[in-house]
Amino acid sequence: MEWSPQQEEALRAVLSWLKTRPTQVFRLFGYAGTGKTTLARHLAEGVDGDVAFGAFTGKAAHVLRTKGCADASTIHSMIYRPRGEDEDGEGPSFTINRDSTAASASLIVIDECSMVDEDLGRDLLSFGTPVLVLGDPAQSPPVKGGGFFTEAEPDAMLSEVHRQAADNPIIRLSMDIREGQPLDYGTYGESRVIHRCEIDADAILATDQVLVGRNKTRRLYNDRIRELMCYTLQMPEVGEKLVCLRNDKAKGLLNGGLWTVKAAHPPKRGKLQYDVKPEDTLKRKSVRVSIAPELFDEGSEEVPYALRRRSDEFAYGYAMTVHKAQGSQWDNVVLFDESWAFREHQARWLYTAVTRAAEKISVVK
């Protein structure tokens, strides 16, 4: 493997840190296409002992595995273990697993580190294992509660997109956005930037994920997609896709994580009862969740906090906001460009949105 001078410098810095360990955390940041994951994988091959790769969401962990990071998992499954049914009998609750891979590994590598909040970050560091975190400073500020590892400056920063990556149309689009250039209508390899009149129902149903900017748009598109899929009830049915809106460490629920409804049960204490299973995670069993129906009737933004905090928080996940999607990636994405709603963060929002696609994106303007 040939490294650029900037990559060589980053490698030397990480190797020096691994040798002397002046701090527990090393921050390796870089833009899309600069080779962060490739460098981390190369470093892992030279570590004496096991290396544990992790990410915030199951989807992001799946992406790591496709990039050659064997056995990559969610941080949650890496450091917690189920401890049996909770007091309401609503499925397993979780506690720190002191015998986990995080305890025995010589190095932990965390991708998309902006998503990690303080509670999860401190639990991860409690094992005392060195942690290499990968992040991208061009992305939007992290969702509320995230950013535990991005509050400090990077220890090494990669800004040069390597030649092969620059030929990738998605990376090329991300570079244009970062450099302040507008996205012109047209075709970019398998990707495209199109007018709203050019997107149709078949393209929406064929995509892996629809992304939008505003919650109002998210609700409208989720309603429309459910209609296209012939779901007729206001409340979720078996087989539907939900997105989690709030962390619950004990249940293993992560803000922005996608789940599929596996079973529906009779309501209990006025709340809907479902067994849900996370996407892209083979090891996890279903989790019982208890959801206030108002979250689907009115939308989470309209439901008082006093009611929301007594409920697991979910919404339909066919269309997600880019903020909730941060940290995940899909092969085929349809993005409705609402960057205009984010004012001084327009470019960072659009950059984050485009880089959620791994192979193909349709940007609808």
mmCIF file with all atom_site columns, all heavy atoms in Angstrom, residues 91-111:
data_model
loop_
_atom_site.group_PDB
_atom_site.id
_atom_site.type_symbol
_atom_site.label_atom_id
_atom_site.label_alt_id
_atom_site.label_comp_id
_atom_site.label_asym_id
_atom_site.label_entity_id
_atom_site.label_seq_id
_atom_site.pdbx_PDB_ins_code
_atom_site.Cartn_x
_atom_site.Cartn_y
_atom_site.Cartn_z
_atom_site.occupancy
_atom_site.B_iso_or_equiv
_atom_site.pdbx_formal_charge
_atom_site.auth_seq_id
_atom_site.auth_comp_id
_atom_site.auth_asym_id
_atom_site.auth_atom_id
_atom_site.pdbx_PDB_model_num
ATOM 1   N N   . GLY A 1 91  ? -38.469 -7.431  28.354 1.00 0.00 ? 91  GLY A N   1
ATOM 2   C CA  . GLY A 1 91  ? -37.281 -7.824  27.613 1.00 0.00 ? 91  GLY A CA  1
ATOM 3   C C   . GLY A 1 91  ? -36.015 -7.535  28.391 1.00 0.00 ? 91  GLY A C   1
ATOM 4   O O   . GLY A 1 91  ? -36.057 -7.011  29.512 1.00 0.00 ? 91  GLY A O   1
ATOM 5   N N   . PRO A 1 92  ? -34.867 -7.914  27.812 1.00 0.00 ? 92  PRO A N   1
ATOM 6   C CA  . PRO A 1 92  ? -33.612 -7.806  28.547 1.00 0.00 ? 92  PRO A CA  1
ATOM 7   C C   . PRO A 1 92  ? -33.205 -6.361  28.804 1.00 0.00 ? 92  PRO A C   1
ATOM 8   O O   . PRO A 1 92  ? -33.459 -5.478  27.995 1.00 0.00 ? 92  PRO A O   1
ATOM 9   C CB  . PRO A 1 92  ? -32.603 -8.493  27.611 1.00 0.00 ? 92  PRO A CB  1
ATOM 10  C CG  . PRO A 1 92  ? -33.208 -8.354  26.252 1.00 0.00 ? 92  PRO A CG  1
ATOM 11  C CD  . PRO A 1 92  ? -34.685 -8.408  26.451 1.00 0.00 ? 92  PRO A CD  1
ATOM 12  N N   . SER A 1 93  ? -32.594 -6.136  29.947 1.00 0.00 ? 93  SER A N   1
ATOM 13  C CA  . SER A 1 93  ? -31.920 -4.865  30.199 1.00 0.00 ? 93  SER A CA  1
ATOM 14  C C   . SER A 1 93  ? -30.424 -5.156  30.179 1.00 0.00 ? 93  SER A C   1
ATOM 15  O O   . SER A 1 93  ? -30.000 -6.305  30.210 1.00 0.00 ? 93  SER A O   1
ATOM 16  C CB  . SER A 1 93  ? -32.356 -4.258  31.532 1.00 0.00 ? 93  SER A CB  1
ATOM 17  O OG  . SER A 1 93  ? -32.063 -5.151  32.591 1.00 0.00 ? 93  SER A OG  1
ATOM 18  N N   . PHE A 1 94  ? -29.608 -4.096  30.109 1.00 0.00 ? 94  PHE A N   1
ATOM 19  C CA  . PHE A 1 94  ? -28.187 -4.282  29.865 1.00 0.00 ? 94  PHE A CA  1
ATOM 20  C C   . PHE A 1 94  ? -27.342 -3.638  30.952 1.00 0.00 ? 94  PHE A C   1
ATOM 21  O O   . PHE A 1 94  ? -27.724 -2.616  31.527 1.00 0.00 ? 94  PHE A O   1
ATOM 22  C CB  . PHE A 1 94  ? -27.803 -3.700  28.498 1.00 0.00 ? 94  PHE A CB  1
ATOM 23  C CG  . PHE A 1 94  ? -28.392 -4.467  27.341 1.00 0.00 ? 94  PHE A CG  1
ATOM 24  C CD1 . PHE A 1 94  ? -29.689 -4.236  26.921 1.00 0.00 ? 94  PHE A CD1 1
ATOM 25  C CD2 . PHE A 1 94  ? -27.647 -5.433  26.690 1.00 0.00 ? 94  PHE A CD2 1
ATOM 26  C CE1 . PHE A 1 94  ? -30.239 -4.951  25.865 1.00 0.00 ? 94  PHE A CE1 1
ATOM 27  C CE2 . PHE A 1 94  ? -28.183 -6.156  25.632 1.00 0.00 ? 94  PHE A CE2 1
ATOM 28  C CZ  . PHE A 1 94  ? -29.477 -5.914  25.226 1.00 0.00 ? 94  PHE A CZ  1
ATOM 29  N N   . THR A 1 95  ? -26.203 -4.242  31.196 1.00 0.00 ? 95  THR A N   1
ATOM 30  C CA  . THR A 1 95  ? -25.241 -3.707  32.145 1.00 0.00 ? 95  THR A CA  1
ATOM 31  C C   . THR A 1 95  ? -23.843 -3.871  31.548 1.00 0.00 ? 95  THR A C   1
ATOM 32  O O   . THR A 1 95  ? -23.648 -4.641  30.600 1.00 0.00 ? 95  THR A O   1
ATOM 33  C CB  . THR A 1 95  ? -25.349 -4.438  33.497 1.00 0.00 ? 95  THR A CB  1
ATOM 34  O OG1 . THR A 1 95  ? -24.520 -3.798  34.458 1.00 0.00 ? 95  THR A OG1 1
ATOM 35  C CG2 . THR A 1 95  ? -24.921 -5.902  33.367 1.00 0.00 ? 95  THR A CG2 1
ATOM 36  N N   . ILE A 1 96  ? -22.864 -3.144  32.088 1.00 0.00 ? 96  ILE A N   1
ATOM 37  C CA  . ILE A 1 96  ? -21.498 -3.225  31.552 1.00 0.00 ? 96  ILE A CA  1
ATOM 38  C C   . ILE A 1 96  ? -20.954 -4.643  31.703 1.00 0.00 ? 96  ILE A C   1
ATOM 39  O O   . ILE A 1 96  ? -21.094 -5.270  32.750 1.00 0.00 ? 96  ILE A O   1
ATOM 40  C CB  . ILE A 1 96  ? -20.571 -2.211  32.255 1.00 0.00 ? 96  ILE A CB  1
ATOM 41  C CG1 . ILE A 1 96  ? -20.972 -0.781  31.865 1.00 0.00 ? 96  ILE A CG1 1
ATOM 42  C CG2 . ILE A 1 96  ? -19.114 -2.451  31.886 1.00 0.00 ? 96  ILE A CG2 1
ATOM 43  C CD1 . ILE A 1 96  ? -20.116 0.302   32.500 1.00 0.00 ? 96  ILE A CD1 1
ATOM 44  N N   . ASN A 1 97  ? -20.368 -5.134  30.627 1.00 0.00 ? 97  ASN A N   1
ATOM 45  C CA  . ASN A 1 97  ? -19.796 -6.480  30.594 1.00 0.00 ? 97  ASN A CA  1
ATOM 46  C C   . ASN A 1 97  ? -18.280 -6.392  30.755 1.00 0.00 ? 97  ASN A C   1
ATOM 47  O O   . ASN A 1 97  ? -17.562 -6.081  29.811 1.00 0.00 ? 97  ASN A O   1
ATOM 48  C CB  . ASN A 1 97  ? -20.151 -7.160  29.267 1.00 0.00 ? 97  ASN A CB  1
ATOM 49  C CG  . ASN A 1 97  ? -19.584 -8.557  29.159 1.00 0.00 ? 97  ASN A CG  1
ATOM 50  O OD1 . ASN A 1 97  ? -19.063 -9.108  30.133 1.00 0.00 ? 97  ASN A OD1 1
ATOM 51  N ND2 . ASN A 1 97  ? -19.685 -9.135  27.974 1.00 0.00 ? 97  ASN A ND2 1
ATOM 52  N N   . ARG A 1 98  ? -17.802 -6.650  31.979 1.00 0.00 ? 98  ARG A N   1
ATOM 53  C CA  . ARG A 1 98  ? -16.369 -6.516  32.242 1.00 0.00 ? 98  ARG A CA  1
ATOM 54  C C   . ARG A 1 98  ? -15.544 -7.630  31.600 1.00 0.00 ? 98  ARG A C   1
ATOM 55  O O   . ARG A 1 98  ? -14.318 -7.578  31.616 1.00 0.00 ? 98  ARG A O   1
ATOM 56  C CB  . ARG A 1 98  ? -16.124 -6.493  33.753 1.00 0.00 ? 98  ARG A CB  1
ATOM 57  C CG  . ARG A 1 98  ? -16.663 -5.238  34.428 1.00 0.00 ? 98  ARG A CG  1
ATOM 58  C CD  . ARG A 1 98  ? -15.970 -3.991  33.898 1.00 0.00 ? 98  ARG A CD  1
ATOM 59  N NE  . ARG A 1 98  ? -16.585 -2.744  34.369 1.00 0.00 ? 98  ARG A NE  1
ATOM 60  C CZ  . ARG A 1 98  ? -16.337 -1.563  33.845 1.00 0.00 ? 98  ARG A CZ  1
ATOM 61  N NH1 . ARG A 1 98  ? -15.510 -1.461  32.816 1.00 0.00 ? 98  ARG A NH1 1
ATOM 62  N NH2 . ARG A 1 98  ? -16.914 -0.479  34.316 1.00 0.00 ? 98  ARG A NH2 1
ATOM 63  N N   . ASP A 1 99  ? -16.209 -8.635  31.033 1.00 0.00 ? 99  ASP A N   1
ATOM 64  C CA  . ASP A 1 99  ? -15.498 -9.706  30.332 1.00 0.00 ? 99  ASP A CA  1
ATOM 65  C C   . ASP A 1 99  ? -15.648 -9.580  28.819 1.00 0.00 ? 99  ASP A C   1
ATOM 66  O O   . ASP A 1 99  ? -15.446 -10.545 28.089 1.00 0.00 ? 99  ASP A O   1
ATOM 67  C CB  . ASP A 1 99  ? -16.032 -11.077 30.782 1.00 0.00 ? 99  ASP A CB  1
ATOM 68  C CG  . ASP A 1 99  ? -15.783 -11.335 32.259 1.00 0.00 ? 99  ASP A CG  1
ATOM 69  O OD1 . ASP A 1 99  ? -14.687 -10.989 32.730 1.00 0.00 ? 99  ASP A OD1 1
ATOM 70  O OD2 . ASP A 1 99  ? -16.685 -11.880 32.921 1.00 0.00 ? 99  ASP A OD2 1
ATOM 71  N N   . SER A 1 100 ? -15.991 -8.402  28.341 1.00 0.00 ? 100 SER A N   1
ATOM 72  C CA  . SER A 1 100 ? -16.261 -8.211  26.911 1.00 0.00 ? 100 SER A CA  1
ATOM 73  C C   . SER A 1 100 ? -14.969 -8.067  26.117 1.00 0.00 ? 100 SER A C   1
ATOM 74  O O   . SER A 1 100 ? -13.863 -7.999  26.675 1.00 0.00 ? 100 SER A O   1
ATOM 75  C CB  . SER A 1 100 ? -17.106 -6.952  26.714 1.00 0.00 ? 100 SER A CB  1
ATOM 76  O OG  . SER A 1 100 ? -16.318 -5.801  27.000 1.00 0.00 ? 100 SER A OG  1
ATOM 77  N N   . THR A 1 101 ? -15.120 -7.980  24.793 1.00 0.00 ? 101 THR A N   1
ATOM 78  C CA  . THR A 1 101 ? -13.959 -7.777  23.924 1.00 0.00 ? 101 THR A CA  1
ATOM 79  C C   . THR A 1 101 ? -13.273 -6.452  24.220 1.00 0.00 ? 101 THR A C   1
ATOM 80  O O   . THR A 1 101 ? -12.070 -6.314  24.006 1.00 0.00 ? 101 THR A O   1
ATOM 81  C CB  . THR A 1 101 ? -14.380 -7.801  22.443 1.00 0.00 ? 101 THR A CB  1
ATOM 82  O OG1 . THR A 1 101 ? -15.426 -6.840  22.241 1.00 0.00 ? 101 THR A OG1 1
ATOM 83  C CG2 . THR A 1 101 ? -14.894 -9.175  22.042 1.00 0.00 ? 101 THR A CG2 1
ATOM 84  N N   . ALA A 1 102 ? -14.028 -5.464  24.720 1.00 0.00 ? 102 ALA A N   1
ATOM 85  C CA  . ALA A 1 102 ? -13.426 -4.170  25.068 1.00 0.00 ? 102 ALA A CA  1
ATOM 86  C C   . ALA A 1 102 ? -12.399 -4.323  26.186 1.00 0.00 ? 102 ALA A C   1
ATOM 87  O O   . ALA A 1 102 ? -11.424 -3.563  26.260 1.00 0.00 ? 102 ALA A O   1
ATOM 88  C CB  . ALA A 1 102 ? -14.501 -3.177  25.476 1.00 0.00 ? 102 ALA A CB  1
ATOM 89  N N   . ALA A 1 103 ? -12.609 -5.311  27.059 1.00 0.00 ? 103 ALA A N   1
ATOM 90  C CA  . ALA A 1 103 ? -11.682 -5.524  28.175 1.00 0.00 ? 103 ALA A CA  1
ATOM 91  C C   . ALA A 1 103 ? -10.424 -6.267  27.739 1.00 0.00 ? 103 ALA A C   1
ATOM 92  O O   . ALA A 1 103 ? -9.327  -5.995  28.224 1.00 0.00 ? 103 ALA A O   1
ATOM 93  C CB  . ALA A 1 103 ? -12.375 -6.306  29.284 1.00 0.00 ? 103 ALA A CB  1
ATOM 94  N N   . SER A 1 104 ? -10.575 -7.177  26.782 1.00 0.00 ? 104 SER A N   1
ATOM 95  C CA  . SER A 1 104 ? -9.441  -8.014  26.382 1.00 0.00 ? 104 SER A CA  1
ATOM 96  C C   . SER A 1 104 ? -8.674  -7.477  25.180 1.00 0.00 ? 104 SER A C   1
ATOM 97  O O   . SER A 1 104 ? -7.552  -7.911  24.915 1.00 0.00 ? 104 SER A O   1
ATOM 98  C CB  . SER A 1 104 ? -9.925  -9.437  26.068 1.00 0.00 ? 104 SER A CB  1
ATOM 99  O OG  . SER A 1 104 ? -10.888 -9.410  25.019 1.00 0.00 ? 104 SER A OG  1
ATOM 100 N N   . ALA A 1 105 ? -9.252  -6.528  24.450 1.00 0.00 ? 105 ALA A N   1
ATOM 101 C CA  . ALA A 1 105 ? -8.609  -6.015  23.235 1.00 0.00 ? 105 ALA A CA  1
ATOM 102 C C   . ALA A 1 105 ? -7.377  -5.170  23.568 1.00 0.00 ? 105 ALA A C   1
ATOM 103 O O   . ALA A 1 105 ? -7.300  -4.538  24.635 1.00 0.00 ? 105 ALA A O   1
ATOM 104 C CB  . ALA A 1 105 ? -9.595  -5.190  22.426 1.00 0.00 ? 105 ALA A CB  1
ATOM 105 N N   . SER A 1 106 ? -6.430  -5.146  22.628 1.00 0.00 ? 106 SER A N   1
ATOM 106 C CA  . SER A 1 106 ? -5.258  -4.267  22.768 1.00 0.00 ? 106 SER A CA  1
ATOM 107 C C   . SER A 1 106 ? -5.574  -2.863  22.249 1.00 0.00 ? 106 SER A C   1
ATOM 108 O O   . SER A 1 106 ? -4.915  -1.897  22.619 1.00 0.00 ? 106 SER A O   1
ATOM 109 C CB  . SER A 1 106 ? -4.079  -4.843  21.983 1.00 0.00 ? 106 SER A CB  1
ATOM 110 O OG  . SER A 1 106 ? -3.702  -6.093  22.510 1.00 0.00 ? 106 SER A OG  1
ATOM 111 N N   . LEU A 1 107 ? -6.586  -2.768  21.375 1.00 0.00 ? 107 LEU A N   1
ATOM 112 C CA  . LEU A 1 107 ? -6.980  -1.476  20.797 1.00 0.00 ? 107 LEU A CA  1
ATOM 113 C C   . LEU A 1 107 ? -8.448  -1.546  20.408 1.00 0.00 ? 107 LEU A C   1
ATOM 114 O O   . LEU A 1 107 ? -8.919  -2.571  19.903 1.00 0.00 ? 107 LEU A O   1
ATOM 115 C CB  . LEU A 1 107 ? -6.129  -1.168  19.561 1.00 0.00 ? 107 LEU A CB  1
ATOM 116 C CG  . LEU A 1 107 ? -6.502  0.088   18.755 1.00 0.00 ? 107 LEU A CG  1
ATOM 117 C CD1 . LEU A 1 107 ? -6.226  1.358   19.568 1.00 0.00 ? 107 LEU A CD1 1
ATOM 118 C CD2 . LEU A 1 107 ? -5.732  0.135   17.433 1.00 0.00 ? 107 LEU A CD2 1
ATOM 119 N N   . ILE A 1 108 ? -9.164  -0.434  20.630 1.00 0.00 ? 108 ILE A N   1
ATOM 120 C CA  . ILE A 1 108 ? -10.542 -0.279  20.154 1.00 0.00 ? 108 ILE A CA  1
ATOM 121 C C   . ILE A 1 108 ? -10.543 0.831   19.111 1.00 0.00 ? 108 ILE A C   1
ATOM 122 O O   . ILE A 1 108 ? -9.962  1.903   19.331 1.00 0.00 ? 108 ILE A O   1
ATOM 123 C CB  . ILE A 1 108 ? -11.499 0.080   21.305 1.00 0.00 ? 108 ILE A CB  1
ATOM 124 C CG1 . ILE A 1 108 ? -11.572 -1.059  22.330 1.00 0.00 ? 108 ILE A CG1 1
ATOM 125 C CG2 . ILE A 1 108 ? -12.895 0.401   20.779 1.00 0.00 ? 108 ILE A CG2 1
ATOM 126 C CD1 . ILE A 1 108 ? -12.308 -0.691  23.609 1.00 0.00 ? 108 ILE A CD1 1
ATOM 127 N N   . VAL A 1 109 ? -11.183 0.581   17.957 1.00 0.00 ? 109 VAL A N   1
ATOM 128 C CA  . VAL A 1 109 ? -11.324 1.588   16.902 1.00 0.00 ? 109 VAL A CA  1
ATOM 129 C C   . VAL A 1 109 ? -12.804 1.915   16.766 1.00 0.00 ? 109 VAL A C   1
ATOM 130 O O   . VAL A 1 109 ? -13.627 1.024   16.537 1.00 0.00 ? 109 VAL A O   1
ATOM 131 C CB  . VAL A 1 109 ? -10.769 1.079   15.558 1.00 0.00 ? 109 VAL A CB  1
ATOM 132 C CG1 . VAL A 1 109 ? -10.952 2.147   14.477 1.00 0.00 ? 109 VAL A CG1 1
ATOM 133 C CG2 . VAL A 1 109 ? -9.296  0.692   15.686 1.00 0.00 ? 109 VAL A CG2 1
ATOM 134 N N   . ILE A 1 110 ? -13.159 3.194   16.906 1.00 0.00 ? 110 ILE A N   1
ATOM 135 C CA  . ILE A 1 110 ? -14.552 3.642   16.816 1.00 0.00 ? 110 ILE A CA  1
ATOM 136 C C   . ILE A 1 110 ? -14.722 4.558   15.608 1.00 0.00 ? 110 ILE A C   1
ATOM 137 O O   . ILE A 1 110 ? -14.065 5.594   15.510 1.00 0.00 ? 110 ILE A O   1
ATOM 138 C CB  . ILE A 1 110 ? -14.986 4.392   18.098 1.00 0.00 ? 110 ILE A CB  1
ATOM 139 C CG1 . ILE A 1 110 ? -14.855 3.495   19.326 1.00 0.00 ? 110 ILE A CG1 1
ATOM 140 C CG2 . ILE A 1 110 ? -16.417 4.919   17.952 1.00 0.00 ? 110 ILE A CG2 1
ATOM 141 C CD1 . ILE A 1 110 ? -15.710 2.245   19.304 1.00 0.00 ? 110 ILE A CD1 1
ATOM 142 N N   . ASP A 1 111 ? -15.615 4.177   14.690 1.00 0.00 ? 111 ASP A N   1
ATOM 143 C CA  . ASP A 1 111 ? -15.908 5.002   13.512 1.00 0.00 ? 111 ASP A CA  1
ATOM 144 C C   . ASP A 1 111 ? -17.109 5.902   13.806 1.00 0.00 ? 111 ASP A C   1
ATOM 145 O O   . ASP A 1 111 ? -17.908 5.623   14.695 1.00 0.00 ? 111 ASP A O   1
ATOM 146 C CB  . ASP A 1 111 ? -16.204 4.093   12.316 1.00 0.00 ? 111 ASP A CB  1
ATOM 147 C CG  . ASP A 1 111 ? -16.120 4.838   10.990 1.00 0.00 ? 111 ASP A CG  1
ATOM 148 O OD1 . ASP A 1 111 ? -15.524 5.945   10.963 1.00 0.00 ? 111 ASP A OD1 1
ATOM 149 O OD2 . ASP A 1 111 ? -16.625 4.318   9.980  1.00 0.00 ? 111 ASP A OD2 1
#
